[in-house]
Amino acid sequence: MWNLCWQLRSDGEMTSKRIYLSGAEKRKRRKLKIHAHRTKDAARVRVTVFYEALCPDSRNFIVHQLYPVWQDLGNIMNLDLHAFGKARETDAGGFTCQHGEKECEANLMLTCAQSVVRDPQALMKFIHCVMQRYEGVDGGLLCANDSGVDYSEVRECMSSGAGVRLQHDIGEKQAQLNPRLTYVPWILLNNVFTAKTLSLAQDDLRRVVCNAYRGPTPEACEE
C-alpha cells in the first residue's frame, strides 16, 4: 500500500513523498484509528445511587466500593448520587428518616454539598469522609476542611430552604423508580435496575463498571 507523506523542507515549504506501507503497518494504523475513535465516542458508565447518610450498607458501599472505584475509573463514569433512601416527606414540609432526625440532617447536608461544590474531586472526598466518619452533620465541618469544601456555602443551603427543596425533588425522582426502591443503597447501571447488578455492585463495583464500558480497556480494569 502506498501512502502520501507530507514533509517540511528547509525553505519552509511543504512537499509530499510517497511511502510504502506493508499489510501489517496498514492494519496497525487502522487499529490505532479505531482505538482513538472508540476512546472518544464510548459512553461513560452511569452509576446512580440512592443512599442514606447513616445507613450501614450505604456506608460500606460508598467507602469500600464507590469511592475507590471512582478514584481509579472516574474518567469513564458518570455518578448520580442521591441522599434520600427510605426517607419520607411530611405534610408539614419536613422529612422523617429510617435512622432518625440525625440522618435527615446529614442527608440534607450531603444534598446541599452536591448543589454548591463545583469540584468533583472535592465533592467526592467530602462525601467519602462524611460516610466514613459516620457522624452525620457533626463531621461536616471537619470533612469540609479536609476536602477543600467551603462549609459556609453548604450551611447556607441547609438553612435557606434551598436544601429542603432539593430533598423534595430527590423524593419525587425516587418515587418514579421502576421497580420501586425497597433496599438501600439502591443502585442503577445506565439508568437500569436489576437485582443482579445491585448484588454485584456491592461486592465488586469495579468489575461491574469495567464490564459495562464499551471503550478501550482502562488499566484499572486489568488489575
Side-chain angles (χ1 to χ4, degrees):
M1 173 187 175
W2 288 93
N3 193 41
L4 197 62
C5 177
W6 290 93
Q7 294 180 324
L8 181 65
R9 296 193 323 211
S10 59
D11 59 3
E13 294 296 324
M14 295 295 294
T15 184
S16 62
K17 177 182 178 181
R18 295 185 75 190
I19 60 174
Y20 180 78
L21 295 179
S22 67
E25 290 171 328
K26 180 181 177 182
R27 288 191 295 272
K28 182 178 179 181
R29 289 197 175 195
R30 185 184 297 117
K31 184 176 180 180
L32 288 172
K33 288 181 179 180
I34 292 173
H35 184 280
H37 178 74
R38 287 178 178 173
T39 301
K40 180 180 178 181
D41 295 342
R44 291 183 174 222
V45 179
R46 185 176 187 83
V47 179
T48 302
V49 185
F50 291 86
Y51 69 104
E52 297 167 343
L54 294 179
C55 165
D57 289 323
S58 293
R59 178 181 185 270
N60 184 63
F61 174 69
I62 290 175
V63 172
H64 299 295
Q65 292 293 330
L66 184 65
Y67 186 67
V69 171
W70 180 82
Q71 285 183 302
D72 290 343
L73 295 171
N75 62 325
I76 66 166
M77 297 172 66
N78 279 331
L79 295 186
D80 185 21
L81 308 181
H82 305 285
F84 199 82
K86 294 186 178 181
R88 294 290 181 269
E89 189 167 5
T90 67
D91 291 339
F95 297 89
T96 60
C97 295
Q98 181 172 205
H99 301 96
E101 183 178 349
K102 190 173 181 180
E103 180 171 80
C104 285
E105 294 173 349
N107 286 346
L108 179 66
M109 175 182 68
L110 290 164
T111 296
C112 279
Q114 285 187 233
S115 175
V116 302
V117 178
R118 298 294 175 233
D119 179 0
Q121 295 282 347
L123 175 62
M124 286 302 296
K125 190 174 181 180
F126 176 76
I127 293 173
H128 174 261
C129 178
V130 169
M131 297 302 291
Q132 186 174 51
R133 291 184 65 85
Y134 210 46
E135 299 173 340
V137 295
D138 293 340
L141 180 58
L142 185 148
C143 287
N145 291 338
D146 286 350
S147 308
V149 167
D150 185 350
Y151 196 65
S152 65
E153 293 184 351
V154 178
R155 188 181 289 116
E156 181 180 353
C157 169
M158 294 172 66
S159 61
S160 67
V164 172
R165 290 191 291 272
L166 290 170
Q167 283 289 95
H168 168 80
D169 291 343
I170 293 174
E172 292 287 303
K173 180 175 182 176
Q174 186 175 288
Q176 301 303 313
L177 290 174
N178 184 19
R180 301 290 293 271
L181 179 148
T182 58
Y183 173 84
V184 182
W186 196 250
I187 305 165
L188 291 78
L189 189 70
N190 292 327
N191 299 318
V192 176
F193 173 86
T194 67
K196 181 179 179 180
T197 296
L198 176 63
S199 178
L200 289 175
Q202 292 178 88
D203 291 332
D204 193 353
L205 180 64
R206 182 185 304 274
R207 181 157 63 97
V208 170
V209 172
C210 289
N211 288 344
Y213 185 58
R214 293 294 173 259
T217 302
E219 283 188 20
C221 289
E222 297 176 346
E223 297 176 0

